[in-house]
Amino acid sequence: MSHPRSRLCLLLLGVALLFGYRLGGRNLENHDIIRNADIAAEMLRDGDWLLPRSCGTVYVEKPPLFLWCAATAGRVLGGMDALAARLPSWAAGLAMVAGTVLLGRFLQSWLVGLAAGGILATMWDIWFYARGGRDDLLFAALTLWALLALLWAAEKGRVWGWTAAGLCMAGAMLVKGPLGMLLPLVAYAAWRVTLGWNPPRRLWIGMAWAVLLALSFVGHYYYQVSRHARPGELREILDGFFLKENLERVRSGWDHRPKPFWFYLVPLFANTLPWGLLIPIAFVERWPKGWKGGKAEAFLLLWVALTVVGLSLSAGKQARYLLPLYPALAVLLARSLAGGLGQDPRCGPWAARTMWVFPPLLLAAAVWLAVWGQPRLPIPVHLPALVLAACAVYLGWSLKRKDLLRSVAGLALAFAVGAMAWERTVETEDEASATCKAFAEELRPALPAGEAVYLHGRDFFRSGLCYYLGRTLPILERLPDQGPPRWVLEDAAQESSRREVSGVFHYQDQDYVLFRWDSQESR
């Protein structure tokens, strides 16, 4: 292939535009994303980056690397906003696409790698999470690059390859915990099995160095936390993160509602649309060949199987936990399409033949937009309809010519048109976030300037309230019953000794009061 690196740069440029379209042009979607943005904003306000805090309370659900990235973006951009909150996910999406290209290049060729990168970038979940403010895609990207470093170090025998693997695993552990080391090691174990499990001594030494380096970085962070945490906070971290967020979730699931063992079978294909239509066919084609299909084929299948079975054994299941597997699916599908288009005689034709389903589907979508879409959609639809029709013709022409990259590019362009239209027409902000924003705007003029305001009672909305107000609202229950009078915001149903009531505010069918609270009078 001529100029593969130039094509890689062109692919990454297109992906950057696809992931970055109106990245900061909409509100943050839900409570989790707003909470991350609020914690990053609190880091910038208070200057305490070591231990994340939400409204003055230590945040124990996740390690801080994603929050550090968001806070860094906020500092560069001059403050936390929707763009700064989403930039780490956008960058992680680019890194994941680039890593998938290199994985395909390592296993077969630049052609397969570039096709796999285009496939990954236009999977629905990858596009969706690359435009969110969550840590899931950063975790997936770090585990992928840890695996790539392990594969490269094992082949070349370079010390800095093992060092890079250790640093990536440490970063993944500082995003989501122990899985950041476990997932790359499971994938690398699958690779060693396909080669024959008899690694030389230098590989064991390199692996030990990578693992020890990752553990030392993570251990140093928690040592610093133990030195600087306030009394009782270290116990909260141990109980909240290591016990509740890891062991308890694996044992009992989310809210003690475990999902069935087969839960991941549906999102494995549904959340990777439009390519999810082809992935089952690629599996059916490749699985019977198994080890006869070559070490790359066996590695990808074993990687997917081991990870899905391992995740299925946990009671706590979420569809987004499959994100680290999508590079393997993309490379597997790219290999099947390459074979079906005549570029690998060992592969069957059915995945490529199934691609012929998409041109008529795209033409049907273009006709629907042109004829019936205008009254239903708030945007002009004639240009998207023409582009979809052009993509259908281009895709059919590319399949006829058996051109892998052009075929992937045709469907990817159609996905981009649909994704951008969806972005312009669908409001993803949930009702709770919208009402919290309105509540903050109503409350802002009544808050005393230069004085602390505390929350008392229910605090489920506090992260969103702190983010939209741009100030920290500590929880009153955690403060002693002594000291000077304080301004308090609480549920009107709470029974407190209120003095100097400043106002009554409505939020989600309840009234809240802002008042001056004196600890001496309340007793």
Side-chain angles (χ1 to χ4, degrees), residues 3 66 109 235 332 377 395 412 501 503:
H3 308 297
F66 179 82
S109 64
R235 180 61 182 271
L332 185 68
L377 300 178
L395 178 56
V501 174

Side-chain angles (χ1 to χ4, degrees), residues 63-112:
L65 182 59
F66 179 82
L67 303 172
W68 289 342
C69 295
T72 301
R75 173 168 288 182
V76 171
L77 296 177
M80 281 304 303
D81 55 11
L83 178 60
R86 295 189 178 106
L87 270 181
S89 297
W90 174 85
L94 287 180
M96 202 166 177
V97 172
T100 302
V101 173
L102 296 181
L103 179 64
R105 166 67 180 88
F106 177 85
L107 295 177
Q108 183 165 338
S109 64
W110 276 110
L111 176 69
V112 169

Side-chain angles (χ1 to χ4, degrees), residues 366-438:
V367 171
W368 183 89
L369 278 177
V371 178
W372 296 287
Q374 185 62 62
R376 295 172 174 82
L377 300 178
I379 60 172
V381 297
H382 297 294
L383 181 59
L386 288 175
V387 174
L388 284 179
C391 290
V393 174
Y394 182 74
L395 178 56
W397 174 77
S398 301
L399 290 172
K400 185 69 174 177
R401 289 172 53 91
K402 296 186 176 182
D403 191 316
L404 175 62
L405 289 184
R406 286 190 172 92
S407 300
V408 171
L411 187 54
L413 183 58
F415 174 88
V417 172
M420 290 179 179
W422 185 89
E423 174 64 30
R424 291 293 301 271
T425 57
V426 178
E427 177 55 59
T428 57
E429 184 181 29
D430 62 21
E431 182 180 356
S433 301
T435 55
C436 185
K437 182 179 181 180

Side-chain angles (χ1 to χ4, degrees), residues 317-370:
K317 300 179 180 69
Q318 292 290 321
R320 62 178 182 271
Y321 293 171
L322 292 174
L323 286 172
L325 272 185
Y326 289 169
L329 296 178
V331 175
L332 185 68
L333 181 54
R335 285 174 58 86
S336 292
L337 290 176
L341 295 174
Q343 296 167 352
D344 187 347
R346 297 173 301 175
C347 297
W350 291 106
R353 289 178 182 176
T354 310
M355 284 280 286
W356 282 101
V357 171
F358 290 108
L361 285 178
L362 294 178
L363 284 175
V367 171
W368 183 89
L369 278 177

